[in-house]
Amino acid sequence: SHIMSEYGRMTDTERDQIDQDAQVFMRTCADAIHQLRTEAHKGVQSSQVKEHRTAVLDFIEDYLKRVCKLYSEQRAIRVKRVIDKKRL
């Protein structure tokens, strides 16, 4: 209990840094997926290999989108709490 109270609270600066890092990370991942998709379609491959790579990249891209949505929801909750605090 003492440890949680001492270390459990983050400052707004720490939260802002995490938000900024998360946005950079998500952008980097999206760029990497796009680059992999471009590279996956280059070269001569069987249609089965192309379909497999496309399916894998679609899955990864969908997962990233779900993570981004979850992040956005959490950020919206944080913003709402800040607004509510200012109203009081």
Side-chain angles (χ1 to χ4, degrees):
S1 155
H2 175 68
I3 292 172
M4 283 301 286
S5 65
E6 186 177 338
Y7 297 107
R9 298 199 176 252
M10 291 174 46
T11 66
D12 286 338
T13 304
E14 290 171 323
R15 286 185 183 96
D16 291 341
Q17 184 62 50
I18 289 171
D19 285 343
Q20 184 179 6
D21 292 346
Q23 289 174 354
V24 168
F25 183 74
M26 289 183 289
R27 209 172 303 119
T28 302
C29 288
D31 292 343
I33 292 168
H34 178 72
Q35 184 178 2
L36 282 171
R37 194 175 295 279
T38 301
E39 290 177 19
H41 294 297
K42 288 182 182 176
V44 179
Q45 308 153 8
S46 70
S47 63
Q48 186 177 13
V49 171
K50 283 184 181 182
E51 288 177 26
H52 173 74
R53 290 180 179 174
T54 299
V56 169
L57 290 168
D58 288 346
F59 175 76
I60 293 170
E61 189 172 46
D62 181 61
Y63 184 79
L64 178 61
K65 286 179 183 177
R66 287 184 279 137
V67 169
C68 291
K69 181 181 178 198
L70 180 62
Y71 165 77
S72 295
E73 291 168 357
Q74 293 295 315
R75 184 157 166 81
I77 291 169
R78 178 178 169 216
V79 169
K80 184 181 182 305
R81 286 181 182 165
V82 169
I83 291 170
D84 290 346
K85 281 183 182 179
K86 288 183 180 181
R87 286 184 186 167
L88 297 174

